[in-house]
């Protein structure tokens, strides 16, 4: 399937009442899911998308030794990448970042974009809290389930 055909399929789904389409052949798998305003397409070698942020303790993260004011990372939650792609902190090079260290975020708030197969997918936080660390550089490749942000939960 060519990129133009995939784009036409995405456009068709966007304009129809369908919420999800899966196509599988011997050569590829394509899953397109209408998720608010974002369509996601995955190649067969990309694992299925998980929730954008899975609340899990970040106990495996090493503490930031350069900042003595950072509390233990065991109490932090991780916002993880739902797919393989390129991580972007802003919607375009001329825009401000979605979030910065110290920002308080709400569940459902867009925190970054992951580009996969020339599709830009907004990643929404599954938790509310304060961003304490950004673990990935802007425009860097990321893996599925890779931690992107550390979030201190808000009570």
């Amino acid at each position: 399937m060519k990129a133009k055909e995939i784009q036409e399929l995405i456009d068709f789904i966007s304009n129809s009442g369908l919420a999800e389409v899966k196509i599988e052949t011997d050569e590829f798998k394509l899953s397109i899911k209408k998720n608010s305003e974002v369509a996601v397409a995955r190649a067969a070698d990309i694992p299925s998308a998980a929730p954008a942020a899975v609340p899990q303790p970040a106990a495996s993260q090493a503490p930031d030794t350069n900042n003595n004011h950072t509390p233990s990372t065991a109490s932090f939650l991780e916002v993880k990448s739902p797919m393989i792609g390129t991580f972007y902190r802003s919607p375009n090079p001329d825009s401000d970042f979605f979030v910065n260290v110290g920002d308080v975020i709400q569940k459902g708030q867009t925190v970054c974009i992951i580009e996969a197969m020339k599709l830009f997918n907004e990643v929404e936080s599954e938790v509310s809290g304060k961003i304490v660390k950004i673990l990935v550089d802007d425009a860097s490749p990321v893996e599925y389930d890779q931690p992107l942000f550390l979030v201190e939960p808000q009570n």
Side-chain angles (χ1 to χ4, degrees):
M1 197 168 208
K2 296 180 182 177
K4 183 179 179 187
E5 293 171 318
I6 294 171
Q7 186 60 48
E8 288 172 356
L9 184 58
I10 291 169
D11 292 341
F12 172 76
I13 292 168
S14 295
N15 295 326
S16 73
L18 298 173
E20 183 174 359
V21 172
K22 292 182 180 180
I23 300 171
E24 185 173 336
T25 69
D26 293 336
E27 299 165 355
F28 67 90
K29 287 183 184 179
L30 178 68
S31 175
I32 302 173
K33 186 174 186 179
K34 192 173 184 180
N35 185 7
S36 32
E37 299 174 7
V38 180
V40 177
R42 294 187 303 265
D45 59 344
I46 299 176
S48 63
V54 178
Q56 295 179 357
S60 63
Q61 294 291 328
D64 185 359
T65 57
N66 296 331
N67 183 355
N68 294 332
H69 302 292
T70 303
S72 168
T73 59
S75 63
F76 296 150
L77 304 175
E78 295 176 339
V79 175
K80 294 183 177 186
S81 177
M83 64 189 69
I84 294 172
T86 303
F87 170 85
Y88 293 105
R89 292 186 59 198
S90 62
N92 63 60
D94 298 329
S95 297
D96 293 333
F97 294 140
F98 287 109
V99 294
N100 292 298
V101 172
D103 289 354
V104 175
I105 60 170
Q106 301 301 317
K107 183 176 182 176
Q109 179 178 342
T110 300
V111 293
C112 67
I113 290 178
I114 304 291
E115 177 191 4
M117 295 178 55
K118 300 193 184 219
L119 294 174
F120 293 85
N121 305 283
E122 293 183 352
V123 176
E124 296 177 352
S125 177
E126 291 290 323
V127 297
S128 296
K130 180 179 173 183
I131 300 285
V132 292
K133 190 164 187 179
I134 300 170
L135 303 170
V136 181
D137 292 328
D138 193 39
S140 296
V142 293
E143 297 292 326
Y144 169 72
D145 213 30
Q146 177 179 342
L148 305 173
F149 302 93
L150 287 182
V151 178
E152 181 178 17
Q154 298 291 307
N155 295 339

